[in-house]
Amino acid sequence: MNFDDWEPVYESILADFGFGRDADEHARDVLAELAHPFDTSRFDHVAGATVAVAGAGPALAGELETAADADVVFAASTATDVLLDAGIDVDLMVTDLDKNPETAVELTHRGVPVAAHAHGDNVPAVREWLPQFDTDHVLATTQAAPVAPVVDYGGFTDGDRAAFLADEFGAAELRFLGWDFDDPQVDETKAKKLRWAERLLYWLETRRGESFTVLDGRRERIRPVRPVR
């Protein structure tokens, strides 16, 4: 996805949460100073593949077979630890460094790619953790306009961003595990982010002409993305 397609949706997200674009751009610039260009040809194997997109919801432990049966696994945040503990390899960890950055550090030193994301309120984490990564294995991402070597392929939360990354690299089919849009244990801000993740996946499946089973029984209630323009 190019930024021209993403930007109006991004503006809608900013407006809904009251976030400032300047803060995201500052975080992006900090990340850009610490990151190196990433060789995206490392994801050539994703083209035409079935990609499992693992969220970190309560259902994850009971749905591991979806990841085990997939060609490629992209995992959000702490879903990575659950998969690795179950003996399932992860091809990409997607994180904004807020929960388990130690796992991300370890993966990069093992040569496993990590999509490390900068946004308005995680600059301290970016400054702390990026220097500890093996940056040859870091794909630096932003939700603001991309500035090399930081890219933006769409997505807002770690989970839906993993889906957008899989789409960017040519996945033929996306399968979802560990997703719970109605998780009662999260606070209101996180619940609102989950509603946006749901809306973004609905938008993505429409763009792809694919039906994501994770949205079955929910589509009628999903408010379509209406960009601010």
Side-chain angles (χ1 to χ4, degrees):
M1 176 178 295
N2 62 51
F3 187 68
D4 287 343
D5 291 333
W6 168 248
E7 185 175 22
V9 178
Y10 170 52
E11 289 174 348
S12 294
I13 293 169
L14 291 176
D16 195 22
F17 282 88
F19 293 159
R21 186 164 181 160
D22 289 350
D24 280 345
E25 292 172 347
H26 171 62
R28 173 204 62 199
D29 293 344
V30 171
L31 181 58
E33 293 173 0
L34 297 170
H36 294 161
F38 183 86
D39 179 9
T40 56
S41 70
R42 294 177 61 180
F43 290 122
D44 284 353
H45 67 292
V46 176
T50 296
V51 178
V53 180
L60 177 60
E63 299 174 347
L64 296 177
E65 186 175 339
T66 299
D69 290 344
D71 302 317
V72 175
V73 178
F74 284 7
S77 184
T78 55
T80 306
D81 298 307
V82 176
L83 292 166
L84 294 175
D85 288 347
I88 299 171
D89 290 336
V90 170
D91 296 273
L92 177 69
M93 176 182 180
V94 181
T95 178
D96 66 357
L97 310 173
D98 69 336
K99 292 187 177 70
N100 58 340
E102 299 90 350
T103 298
V105 171
E106 179 183 352
L107 286 179
T108 65
H109 287 281
R110 286 167 43 190
V112 178
V114 171
H117 189 72
H119 54 71
D121 61 359
N122 78 336
V123 170
V126 170
R127 291 192 188 278
E128 177 181 0
W129 292 103
L130 257 292
Q132 300 183 50
F133 284 41
D134 182 336
T135 50
D136 287 342
H137 306 294
V138 173
L139 174 63
T141 67
T142 179
Q143 56 210 31
V147 171
V150 185
V151 300
D152 184 349
Y153 299 138
F156 179 50
T157 72
D158 289 339
D160 63 80
R161 193 162 56 254
F164 277 83
L165 285 162
D167 175 71
E168 177 69 23
F169 297 126
E173 181 182 357
L174 303 185
R175 297 179 183 173
F176 295 84
L177 66 154
W179 285 74
D180 187 350
F181 298 113
D182 304 314
D183 187 346
Q185 300 181 31
V186 302
D187 61 25
E188 178 53 35
T189 298
K190 179 61 175 179
K192 189 173 183 178
K193 290 180 178 180
L194 288 172
R195 289 193 293 272
W196 264 104
E198 182 181 57
R199 294 177 68 191
L200 290 171
L201 290 186
Y202 185 42
W203 182 47
L204 182 62
E205 75 163 11
T206 302
R207 289 173 59 90
R208 287 175 57 87
E210 185 177 355
S211 292
F212 300 155
T213 56
V214 72
L215 298 179
D216 288 352
R218 308 185 63 88
R219 291 180 183 84
E220 298 77 9
R221 301 190 299 273
I222 298 173
R223 183 161 58 96
V225 172
R226 292 185 176 87
V228 176
R229 275 277 164 107

